[in-house]
Amino acid sequence: MARPGSAREPPLLALLPPLLVLVQAGAAGAAGSVRLAGGLTLGGLFPVHARGAAGRACGQLKKEQGVHRLEAMLYALDRVNADPALLPGVRLGARLLDTCSRDTYALEQALTFVQALIQGRGDGDEGAVRCPGGVPPLRAAPPERVVAVVGASASSVSIMVANVLRLFAIPQISYASTAPELSDSTRYDFFSRVVPPDSYQAQAMVDIVRALGWNYVSTLASEGNYGESGVEAFVQISREAGGVCIAQSIKIPREPKPGEFNKVIKRLMETPNARGIIIFANEDDIRRVLEAARQANLTGHFLWVGSDSWGAKTSPILNLEDVAVGAITILPKRASIDGFDQYFMTRSLENNRRNIWFAEFWEENFNCKLISSGTQSDDSARKCTGEERIGRDSTYEQEGKVQFVIDAVYAIAHALHSMHQALCPGLTGLCPAMETTDGRMLLQYIRAVRFNGSAGTPVMFNENGDAPGRYDIFQYQAANGSAGSGGYQAVGQWAETLRLDVEALQWSGDTREVPGSQCSLPCGPGERKKMVKGVPCCWHCEACDGYRFQVDEFTCEACPGDMRPTRNHTGCRPTPIVRLTWSSPWAAPPLLLAVLGSMATTTVVATFVRHNDTPIVRASGRELSYVLLTGIFLIYAITFLMVAEPGAAVCAGRRLFLGLGTTLSYSALLTKTNRIYRIFEQGKRSVTPPPFISPTSQLVITFSLTSVQVVGVMAWLGAQPPHSVIDYEEQRTVDPEQARGVLKCDMSDLSLIGCLGYSLLLMVTCTVYAIKARGVPETFNEAKPIGFTMYTTCIIWLAFVPIFFGTAQSAEKIYIQTTTLTVSLSLSASVSLGMLYVPKTYVILFHPEQNVQKRKRSLKATSTVAAPPKGEDTEAPK
C-alpha cells in the first residue's frame, strides 16, 4: 500500500498527534455503529438522524434517507457475499456510521475509518505519539482496516470527509452527493459517485426552463456546497446558453431565524414576473418555503423547478400538496429494486439485530413503544408487539437512492474482484498482496469498472469519478378523476438532451397551458424591443410608428420614399399612385366648362367667319378678334391637357399652352385697348391719326408680345426637357394608410405660376389701359366691354391665388389646385367671350336687321376723331 506521506500530500507524521486525539473522541462518539465482520471492510456513512437542535448533535430519526439507505448497503453486502462468482473466498465486512446530517459530526465519525492507519503508523514511531501530560497512549484491540467508504449523502458532508480520506488514500463512492465541486479531481482525487453531478442536473434544469418558454427565473439555494454549487452551475450554464436571466439568487441560511422564510417569499415577490423558482435546497428548507408561500396566500403563483433533493419525495410536500401542484422535479434515473423490497419488508426485530437503529425505526414506523428493561414505558403510548410487519401495518415506499447505494457497494466489489484477479491469480480468498490493500491501485480499478447495475443501467465513471447524467423528470399534479390519480407523474427524461412531454404537464387550476415566467411579454407585430440596461431578458415594446417598419426584433427603420409600411408595420409595400383622372369628381366641373367654352368659342368663330364682311364683324377688328378667339380656345383646351395622364408630350403641352392661350388673349386685348386709348388721346391734340393703328400693325404688336412667352417656354423646354414624376411627398400624410404618390409633370407650383406670370402682367397692363380709356366716346363701343372684362378677370385671379396656395398642404392638393387653375382659366376665358363676342354673335344670328352700318355721326365726333383706317369701322350698328 502506498504511504500517504508522499510529496503530493502534507507530512502525515506532523498530523498524527492531533489526529489521534480526534480519533479517540470520534471512537467514543461512534460507539453506535453497525459492524459486520469480514476479510475486507467497507465503511458507510448515512444520515440515520436529522441534524440536532439546541446543541444536540443528532435529531429525529430519518426513516427513508437514513434507515432505508443503510439497509440497502447491508442488503448489497449480503448479495455480494452470497455470490460465488464475485470475490470467491473473500467476505466483505462493514462499519456503518451515522452522520446526523451534519458535516462536522460526520468528520468526527469518519476518523474511525482511518484509526487503524493512524495507530499503525503511530506504532511504527512511538516517540512521535504522546498524550497530554506525557501519559503513554492506551493500547486496545486493533480496529478493522477500511479499504473503501460508501457515502456520504449530503455534498457538504462528502466534501468534509473526502478531505480526510484522501490523506490516507481511501477511495470513497457517494450514492447521493451531487455538488459540482466534487468533480475537481485535483482536490477530491479519491472521490467517485454513482449519481451524476449537479452540473448535469443544472443543464437539464436549464433545458426544462427553455422548453417551457421561460426566460426570467429566480434561484433559491440552501446554504452549503450542494445548494450553492447547484445554483452556481445553473447560473453559469444559463449565462453560456443565453436566453435565461436570473431575477434574484436567494440563499437560505444554514440556521434560519424565525421569519426567515417569510422574508424569502417577500424577496421573491419583488420580481413577480419571475414566477419560475429554481430550487436547490434540502427537504426541510423546501417544506418551510412551501409553508411560507401558503401563508402569504401565494398558492399557485410560483412555478417550482426542484432538484433531486426534492425529486419524487412526499415528505417535503406532506400537507402542502396544493402549494406544490405544478412543481417540476428532477431525479437521477432510477428504478425500484424488487429484491430490496422483499428483503426490507421481511425485516423484524428478531432477524435484524445487526442494525442498532432498527428498534428506533420500529417505534417510529409503527408509532409504538418497545418495553425495555430498566425503563418505564409511557402508559399512553401503544406497546409494540414485535409482530408488526413493514408494508402491512405501515405504509412503505422504497427510498429513491436505494438503487445507488447498492450500485456503490457493487462498484467497490467489482473493483476488488478485478484487483484480486490481478494480485491473487487462481487463488481463493485473500493473498498476502491483498491483505494490505493499496488505495491508489484500488482507485484505478474503481474508475475502470463497467457493469450493469441493480436497475439494469450501466455503472461507470469518467476521469473525474462522475457517473453519466441520466434523469427522470416528474411533475406533481393534483388528483383529477378524469385525468389520473395525481401525485408525481413522469413527464420526461434527460440524457444529454431533453425529452419533455409538454402536453402531459398540468398546472395549478387544472390548466394545461404553460404559465409564463418572463420579465417582459413578447412584442407584437410592428413593435421593437427596447432593452432594459443590464437585464438582457427585460425590455419595453416600442411601436414602429409612422412610416417605420420592423426590421428585426430590436430595430425599426423608415420605409423607402416610394413605399409605405404594411398595416402591422412588419414590412413595406408600394405606395399607391394617384392622379386626376377623367372620371374623377374633381375633373367634372373643369371639363364641363372647357367643353361648353370650346363649343361656344367654335360657334363664335364659325359665325364670324360666315359673316366676315358684315359691319359687326368688321367693327370688331376681324384680325385681332380671330387672334383673341384663338387664345380663348387655347385657354379652354388647356383643361384637357391638365386632366390627361402626365407624360413627356402632355407635360410639354402643358408648359407651352398653359401660358400661350392667356398670353395670346391678353396681348390682343392689350393691343386693342392701347389702340383705342392712343386714338382718343391723339384726337384731343390733332386730327392726324396715331401711328401703328392699322390691322397689320396690330397683329405685329400682338404677335410680338406673344413671342416673349413662346421664346421663354422654348428656352425652358430646351434647358429642362419635360417629363412626368411621381411625387411621394405631396400626399405623405401622418397616417401611412392615406399616403399616395402623385403622378404629375415636373412643374412646381412656382414654375406653374411662372408660366402664367407674363400673362398676368399683360392682364394688369391691359386693365390699366382699360381704366384710362373708360372715358372714350360711345362710338368706340368696345372700350367699356373690354374694361368690364378686365375688371372681372382680375377679380377671378385674385380669388385664384389664395385658393391655389392655401391648399398647398392639403392631402387633396393635386385635385384642388388643378381644378382651381382650370376653372379660373375657363372663367377668365368665358368672361372675355361673354363680354366681347356673345352679344355680337347674338345680334348676327338673331337680329340680322341690326347688322348694318349706321352713317350718322355727330359733327362733334367727326371734327374731333380721325377717320378710321381702311378696312375697319369705329362704330357698329346699335
PDB file of all heavy atoms in Angstrom, residues 386-412:
ATOM      1  N   GLY A 386     -43.985  -6.574  18.371  1.00  0.00           N
ATOM      2  CA  GLY A 386     -42.957  -7.295  17.645  1.00  0.00           C
ATOM      3  C   GLY A 386     -43.505  -8.101  16.493  1.00  0.00           C
ATOM      4  O   GLY A 386     -42.738  -8.658  15.689  1.00  0.00           O
ATOM      5  N   GLU A 387     -44.820  -8.176  16.400  1.00  0.00           N
ATOM      6  CA  GLU A 387     -45.448  -8.928  15.320  1.00  0.00           C
ATOM      7  C   GLU A 387     -45.848  -8.016  14.147  1.00  0.00           C
ATOM      8  O   GLU A 387     -46.416  -8.482  13.166  1.00  0.00           O
ATOM      9  CB  GLU A 387     -46.704  -9.642  15.841  1.00  0.00           C
ATOM     10  CG  GLU A 387     -46.425 -10.642  16.934  1.00  0.00           C
ATOM     11  CD  GLU A 387     -45.490 -11.750  16.473  1.00  0.00           C
ATOM     12  OE1 GLU A 387     -45.601 -12.147  15.289  1.00  0.00           O
ATOM     13  OE2 GLU A 387     -44.648 -12.200  17.282  1.00  0.00           O
ATOM     14  N   GLU A 388     -45.593  -6.718  14.307  1.00  0.00           N
ATOM     15  CA  GLU A 388     -45.912  -5.795  13.221  1.00  0.00           C
ATOM     16  C   GLU A 388     -45.058  -6.136  12.006  1.00  0.00           C
ATOM     17  O   GLU A 388     -43.950  -6.669  12.121  1.00  0.00           O
ATOM     18  CB  GLU A 388     -45.640  -4.351  13.645  1.00  0.00           C
ATOM     19  CG  GLU A 388     -46.506  -3.842  14.783  1.00  0.00           C
ATOM     20  CD  GLU A 388     -45.887  -4.129  16.148  1.00  0.00           C
ATOM     21  OE1 GLU A 388     -44.815  -4.805  16.191  1.00  0.00           O
ATOM     22  OE2 GLU A 388     -46.443  -3.699  17.147  1.00  0.00           O
ATOM     23  N   ARG A 389     -45.571  -5.794  10.839  1.00  0.00           N
ATOM     24  CA  ARG A 389     -44.840  -6.069   9.614  1.00  0.00           C
ATOM     25  C   ARG A 389     -44.843  -4.818   8.713  1.00  0.00           C
ATOM     26  O   ARG A 389     -45.870  -4.151   8.564  1.00  0.00           O
ATOM     27  CB  ARG A 389     -45.461  -7.244   8.849  1.00  0.00           C
ATOM     28  CG  ARG A 389     -45.221  -8.596   9.518  1.00  0.00           C
ATOM     29  CD  ARG A 389     -43.733  -8.941   9.539  1.00  0.00           C
ATOM     30  NE  ARG A 389     -43.455 -10.174  10.269  1.00  0.00           N
ATOM     31  CZ  ARG A 389     -43.055 -10.226  11.534  1.00  0.00           C
ATOM     32  NH1 ARG A 389     -42.901  -9.096  12.241  1.00  0.00           N
ATOM     33  NH2 ARG A 389     -42.800 -11.389  12.119  1.00  0.00           N
ATOM     34  N   ILE A 390     -43.649  -4.561   8.168  1.00  0.00           N
ATOM     35  CA  ILE A 390     -43.482  -3.395   7.282  1.00  0.00           C
ATOM     36  C   ILE A 390     -44.282  -3.621   6.012  1.00  0.00           C
ATOM     37  O   ILE A 390     -44.218  -4.695   5.410  1.00  0.00           O
ATOM     38  CB  ILE A 390     -41.989  -3.193   6.950  1.00  0.00           C
ATOM     39  CG1 ILE A 390     -41.185  -2.928   8.223  1.00  0.00           C
ATOM     40  CG2 ILE A 390     -41.809  -2.047   5.951  1.00  0.00           C
ATOM     41  CD1 ILE A 390     -39.680  -2.929   8.011  1.00  0.00           C
ATOM     42  N   GLY A 391     -45.038  -2.610   5.593  1.00  0.00           N
ATOM     43  CA  GLY A 391     -45.845  -2.705   4.399  1.00  0.00           C
ATOM     44  C   GLY A 391     -47.229  -3.247   4.654  1.00  0.00           C
ATOM     45  O   GLY A 391     -48.143  -3.022   3.863  1.00  0.00           O
ATOM     46  N   ARG A 392     -47.388  -3.985   5.768  1.00  0.00           N
ATOM     47  CA  ARG A 392     -48.715  -4.477   6.123  1.00  0.00           C
ATOM     48  C   ARG A 392     -49.345  -3.592   7.173  1.00  0.00           C
ATOM     49  O   ARG A 392     -50.497  -3.193   7.051  1.00  0.00           O
ATOM     50  CB  ARG A 392     -48.601  -5.930   6.637  1.00  0.00           C
ATOM     51  CG  ARG A 392     -49.956  -6.597   6.918  1.00  0.00           C
ATOM     52  CD  ARG A 392     -49.764  -7.893   7.666  1.00  0.00           C
ATOM     53  NE  ARG A 392     -49.308  -7.640   9.060  1.00  0.00           N
ATOM     54  CZ  ARG A 392     -48.971  -8.605   9.911  1.00  0.00           C
ATOM     55  NH1 ARG A 392     -48.990  -9.873   9.524  1.00  0.00           N
ATOM     56  NH2 ARG A 392     -48.567  -8.302  11.146  1.00  0.00           N
ATOM     57  N   ASP A 393     -48.575  -3.289   8.207  1.00  0.00           N
ATOM     58  CA  ASP A 393     -49.083  -2.461   9.294  1.00  0.00           C
ATOM     59  C   ASP A 393     -48.589  -1.026   9.194  1.00  0.00           C
ATOM     60  O   ASP A 393     -48.825  -0.215  10.098  1.00  0.00           O
ATOM     61  CB  ASP A 393     -48.655  -3.056  10.644  1.00  0.00           C
ATOM     62  CG  ASP A 393     -49.158  -4.476  10.807  1.00  0.00           C
ATOM     63  OD1 ASP A 393     -50.363  -4.702  10.554  1.00  0.00           O
ATOM     64  OD2 ASP A 393     -48.340  -5.354  11.157  1.00  0.00           O
ATOM     65  N   SER A 394     -47.892  -0.718   8.122  1.00  0.00           N
ATOM     66  CA  SER A 394     -47.420   0.661   7.898  1.00  0.00           C
ATOM     67  C   SER A 394     -47.239   0.861   6.397  1.00  0.00           C
ATOM     68  O   SER A 394     -47.102  -0.111   5.642  1.00  0.00           O
ATOM     69  CB  SER A 394     -46.093   0.914   8.625  1.00  0.00           C
ATOM     70  OG  SER A 394     -45.058   0.099   8.076  1.00  0.00           O
ATOM     71  N   THR A 395     -47.250   2.112   6.016  1.00  0.00           N
ATOM     72  CA  THR A 395     -47.014   2.406   4.596  1.00  0.00           C
ATOM     73  C   THR A 395     -45.527   2.224   4.296  1.00  0.00           C
ATOM     74  O   THR A 395     -44.669   2.470   5.154  1.00  0.00           O
ATOM     75  CB  THR A 395     -47.427   3.841   4.255  1.00  0.00           C
ATOM     76  OG1 THR A 395     -46.686   4.756   5.070  1.00  0.00           O
ATOM     77  CG2 THR A 395     -48.916   4.051   4.494  1.00  0.00           C
ATOM     78  N   TYR A 396     -45.253   1.802   3.094  1.00  0.00           N
ATOM     79  CA  TYR A 396     -43.859   1.613   2.696  1.00  0.00           C
ATOM     80  C   TYR A 396     -43.692   1.987   1.232  1.00  0.00           C
ATOM     81  O   TYR A 396     -44.479   1.592   0.368  1.00  0.00           O
ATOM     82  CB  TYR A 396     -43.419   0.162   2.904  1.00  0.00           C
ATOM     83  CG  TYR A 396     -42.101  -0.160   2.223  1.00  0.00           C
ATOM     84  CD1 TYR A 396     -40.897   0.293   2.738  1.00  0.00           C
ATOM     85  CD2 TYR A 396     -42.079  -0.891   1.027  1.00  0.00           C
ATOM     86  CE1 TYR A 396     -39.698   0.018   2.091  1.00  0.00           C
ATOM     87  CE2 TYR A 396     -40.886  -1.166   0.390  1.00  0.00           C
ATOM     88  CZ  TYR A 396     -39.696  -0.704   0.926  1.00  0.00           C
ATOM     89  OH  TYR A 396     -38.510  -0.955   0.289  1.00  0.00           O
ATOM     90  N   GLU A 397     -42.655   2.770   0.965  1.00  0.00           N
ATOM     91  CA  GLU A 397     -42.269   3.102  -0.407  1.00  0.00           C
ATOM     92  C   GLU A 397     -40.754   3.192  -0.427  1.00  0.00           C
ATOM     93  O   GLU A 397     -40.144   3.876   0.401  1.00  0.00           O
ATOM     94  CB  GLU A 397     -42.878   4.424  -0.869  1.00  0.00           C
ATOM     95  CG  GLU A 397     -42.533   4.762  -2.307  1.00  0.00           C
ATOM     96  CD  GLU A 397     -43.164   6.078  -2.754  1.00  0.00           C
ATOM     97  OE1 GLU A 397     -43.901   6.686  -1.954  1.00  0.00           O
ATOM     98  OE2 GLU A 397     -42.888   6.495  -3.904  1.00  0.00           O
ATOM     99  N   GLN A 398     -40.145   2.496  -1.354  1.00  0.00           N
ATOM    100  CA  GLN A 398     -38.685   2.434  -1.410  1.00  0.00           C
ATOM    101  C   GLN A 398     -38.098   3.821  -1.629  1.00  0.00           C
ATOM    102  O   GLN A 398     -38.541   4.585  -2.494  1.00  0.00           O
ATOM    103  CB  GLN A 398     -38.256   1.487  -2.540  1.00  0.00           C
ATOM    104  CG  GLN A 398     -36.769   1.224  -2.584  1.00  0.00           C
ATOM    105  CD  GLN A 398     -36.405   0.266  -3.702  1.00  0.00           C
ATOM    106  OE1 GLN A 398     -35.589   0.564  -4.546  1.00  0.00           O
ATOM    107  NE2 GLN A 398     -37.039  -0.909  -3.708  1.00  0.00           N
ATOM    108  N   GLU A 399     -37.106   4.159  -0.834  1.00  0.00           N
ATOM    109  CA  GLU A 399     -36.450   5.463  -0.941  1.00  0.00           C
ATOM    110  C   GLU A 399     -35.667   5.545  -2.243  1.00  0.00           C
ATOM    111  O   GLU A 399     -35.129   4.545  -2.741  1.00  0.00           O
ATOM    112  CB  GLU A 399     -35.516   5.656   0.257  1.00  0.00           C
ATOM    113  CG  GLU A 399     -35.151   7.111   0.529  1.00  0.00           C
ATOM    114  CD  GLU A 399     -33.981   7.594  -0.304  1.00  0.00           C
ATOM    115  OE1 GLU A 399     -33.142   6.741  -0.677  1.00  0.00           O
ATOM    116  OE2 GLU A 399     -33.897   8.800  -0.586  1.00  0.00           O
ATOM    117  N   GLY A 400     -35.603   6.733  -2.832  1.00  0.00           N
ATOM    118  CA  GLY A 400     -35.094   6.902  -4.183  1.00  0.00           C
ATOM    119  C   GLY A 400     -33.630   6.580  -4.385  1.00  0.00           C
ATOM    120  O   GLY A 400     -33.212   6.258  -5.508  1.00  0.00           O
ATOM    121  N   LYS A 401     -32.811   6.670  -3.362  1.00  0.00           N
ATOM    122  CA  LYS A 401     -31.372   6.451  -3.530  1.00  0.00           C
ATOM    123  C   LYS A 401     -30.949   5.027  -3.206  1.00  0.00           C
ATOM    124  O   LYS A 401     -29.745   4.729  -3.197  1.00  0.00           O
ATOM    125  CB  LYS A 401     -30.598   7.442  -2.642  1.00  0.00           C
ATOM    126  CG  LYS A 401     -30.770   8.895  -3.027  1.00  0.00           C
ATOM    127  CD  LYS A 401     -30.167   9.171  -4.376  1.00  0.00           C
ATOM    128  CE  LYS A 401     -30.026  10.664  -4.667  1.00  0.00           C
ATOM    129  NZ  LYS A 401     -31.274  11.402  -4.652  1.00  0.00           N
ATOM    130  N   VAL A 402     -31.901   4.141  -2.900  1.00  0.00           N
ATOM    131  CA  VAL A 402     -31.550   2.754  -2.584  1.00  0.00           C
ATOM    132  C   VAL A 402     -30.761   2.122  -3.726  1.00  0.00           C
ATOM    133  O   VAL A 402     -29.746   1.436  -3.517  1.00  0.00           O
ATOM    134  CB  VAL A 402     -32.831   1.943  -2.281  1.00  0.00           C
ATOM    135  CG1 VAL A 402     -32.535   0.443  -2.318  1.00  0.00           C
ATOM    136  CG2 VAL A 402     -33.383   2.330  -0.922  1.00  0.00           C
ATOM    137  N   GLN A 403     -31.203   2.354  -4.949  1.00  0.00           N
ATOM    138  CA  GLN A 403     -30.517   1.787  -6.109  1.00  0.00           C
ATOM    139  C   GLN A 403     -29.064   2.206  -6.140  1.00  0.00           C
ATOM    140  O   GLN A 403     -28.168   1.381  -6.432  1.00  0.00           O
ATOM    141  CB  GLN A 403     -31.226   2.251  -7.381  1.00  0.00           C
ATOM    142  CG  GLN A 403     -30.446   1.992  -8.657  1.00  0.00           C
ATOM    143  CD  GLN A 403     -30.981   2.792  -9.824  1.00  0.00           C
ATOM    144  OE1 GLN A 403     -32.111   3.262  -9.801  1.00  0.00           O
ATOM    145  NE2 GLN A 403     -30.164   2.938 -10.850  1.00  0.00           N
ATOM    146  N   PHE A 404     -28.787   3.467  -5.829  1.00  0.00           N
ATOM    147  CA  PHE A 404     -27.423   3.989  -5.942  1.00  0.00           C
ATOM    148  C   PHE A 404     -26.538   3.477  -4.802  1.00  0.00           C
ATOM    149  O   PHE A 404     -25.326   3.320  -4.987  1.00  0.00           O
ATOM    150  CB  PHE A 404     -27.462   5.510  -5.982  1.00  0.00           C
ATOM    151  CG  PHE A 404     -28.262   6.051  -7.133  1.00  0.00           C
ATOM    152  CD1 PHE A 404     -29.495   6.642  -6.923  1.00  0.00           C
ATOM    153  CD2 PHE A 404     -27.806   5.934  -8.429  1.00  0.00           C
ATOM    154  CE1 PHE A 404     -30.241   7.118  -7.991  1.00  0.00           C
ATOM    155  CE2 PHE A 404     -28.536   6.405  -9.494  1.00  0.00           C
ATOM    156  CZ  PHE A 404     -29.764   6.996  -9.274  1.00  0.00           C
ATOM    157  N   VAL A 405     -27.141   3.256  -3.631  1.00  0.00           N
ATOM    158  CA  VAL A 405     -26.360   2.652  -2.543  1.00  0.00           C
ATOM    159  C   VAL A 405     -25.896   1.253  -2.962  1.00  0.00           C
ATOM    160  O   VAL A 405     -24.723   0.876  -2.788  1.00  0.00           O
ATOM    161  CB  VAL A 405     -27.198   2.587  -1.254  1.00  0.00           C
ATOM    162  CG1 VAL A 405     -26.418   1.845  -0.164  1.00  0.00           C
ATOM    163  CG2 VAL A 405     -27.556   3.983  -0.782  1.00  0.00           C
ATOM    164  N   ILE A 406     -26.818   0.486  -3.526  1.00  0.00           N
ATOM    165  CA  ILE A 406     -26.476  -0.873  -3.971  1.00  0.00           C
ATOM    166  C   ILE A 406     -25.409  -0.815  -5.062  1.00  0.00           C
ATOM    167  O   ILE A 406     -24.431  -1.586  -5.043  1.00  0.00           O
ATOM    168  CB  ILE A 406     -27.737  -1.591  -4.459  1.00  0.00           C
ATOM    169  CG1 ILE A 406     -28.743  -1.740  -3.312  1.00  0.00           C
ATOM    170  CG2 ILE A 406     -27.398  -2.937  -5.065  1.00  0.00           C
ATOM    171  CD1 ILE A 406     -30.088  -2.288  -3.746  1.00  0.00           C
ATOM    172  N   ASP A 407     -25.554   0.130  -6.020  1.00  0.00           N
ATOM    173  CA  ASP A 407     -24.571   0.237  -7.103  1.00  0.00           C
ATOM    174  C   ASP A 407     -23.204   0.639  -6.572  1.00  0.00           C
ATOM    175  O   ASP A 407     -22.160   0.184  -7.095  1.00  0.00           O
ATOM    176  CB  ASP A 407     -25.053   1.258  -8.132  1.00  0.00           C
ATOM    177  CG  ASP A 407     -26.227   0.744  -8.952  1.00  0.00           C
ATOM    178  OD1 ASP A 407     -26.470  -0.471  -8.924  1.00  0.00           O
ATOM    179  OD2 ASP A 407     -26.905   1.574  -9.606  1.00  0.00           O
ATOM    180  N   ALA A 408     -23.163   1.490  -5.527  1.00  0.00           N
ATOM    181  CA  ALA A 408     -21.878   1.898  -4.960  1.00  0.00           C
ATOM    182  C   ALA A 408     -21.165   0.708  -4.326  1.00  0.00           C
ATOM    183  O   ALA A 408     -19.948   0.526  -4.491  1.00  0.00           O
ATOM    184  CB  ALA A 408     -22.108   3.002  -3.930  1.00  0.00           C
ATOM    185  N   VAL A 409     -21.920  -0.134  -3.590  1.00  0.00           N
ATOM    186  CA  VAL A 409     -21.304  -1.318  -2.981  1.00  0.00           C
ATOM    187  C   VAL A 409     -20.792  -2.264  -4.059  1.00  0.00           C
ATOM    188  O   VAL A 409     -19.665  -2.782  -3.976  1.00  0.00           O
ATOM    189  CB  VAL A 409     -22.336  -2.018  -2.074  1.00  0.00           C
ATOM    190  CG1 VAL A 409     -21.763  -3.346  -1.551  1.00  0.00           C
ATOM    191  CG2 VAL A 409     -22.731  -1.116  -0.915  1.00  0.00           C
ATOM    192  N   TYR A 410     -21.596  -2.461  -5.081  1.00  0.00           N
ATOM    193  CA  TYR A 410     -21.183  -3.368  -6.153  1.00  0.00           C
ATOM    194  C   TYR A 410     -19.994  -2.808  -6.939  1.00  0.00           C
ATOM    195  O   TYR A 410     -19.158  -3.580  -7.447  1.00  0.00           O
ATOM    196  CB  TYR A 410     -22.351  -3.649  -7.086  1.00  0.00           C
ATOM    197  CG  TYR A 410     -23.110  -4.903  -6.723  1.00  0.00           C
ATOM    198  CD1 TYR A 410     -24.164  -4.859  -5.821  1.00  0.00           C
ATOM    199  CD2 TYR A 410     -22.749  -6.135  -7.258  1.00  0.00           C
ATOM    200  CE1 TYR A 410     -24.869  -6.009  -5.465  1.00  0.00           C
ATOM    201  CE2 TYR A 410     -23.447  -7.297  -6.918  1.00  0.00           C
ATOM    202  CZ  TYR A 410     -24.500  -7.221  -6.018  1.00  0.00           C
ATOM    203  OH  TYR A 410     -25.168  -8.380  -5.668  1.00  0.00           O
ATOM    204  N   ALA A 411     -19.909  -1.493  -7.077  1.00  0.00           N
ATOM    205  CA  ALA A 411     -18.763  -0.914  -7.787  1.00  0.00           C
ATOM    206  C   ALA A 411     -17.465  -1.231  -7.048  1.00  0.00           C
ATOM    207  O   ALA A 411     -16.447  -1.603  -7.662  1.00  0.00           O
ATOM    208  CB  ALA A 411     -18.948   0.596  -7.928  1.00  0.00           C
ATOM    209  N   ILE A 412     -17.508  -1.108  -5.714  1.00  0.00           N
ATOM    210  CA  ILE A 412     -16.319  -1.442  -4.925  1.00  0.00           C
ATOM    211  C   ILE A 412     -16.037  -2.943  -5.010  1.00  0.00           C
ATOM    212  O   ILE A 412     -14.871  -3.384  -5.149  1.00  0.00           O
ATOM    213  CB  ILE A 412     -16.515  -0.995  -3.463  1.00  0.00           C
ATOM    214  CG1 ILE A 412     -16.655   0.526  -3.402  1.00  0.00           C
ATOM    215  CG2 ILE A 412     -15.349  -1.460  -2.606  1.00  0.00           C
ATOM    216  CD1 ILE A 412     -16.996   1.052  -2.013  1.00  0.00           C
TER     217      ILE A 412
END
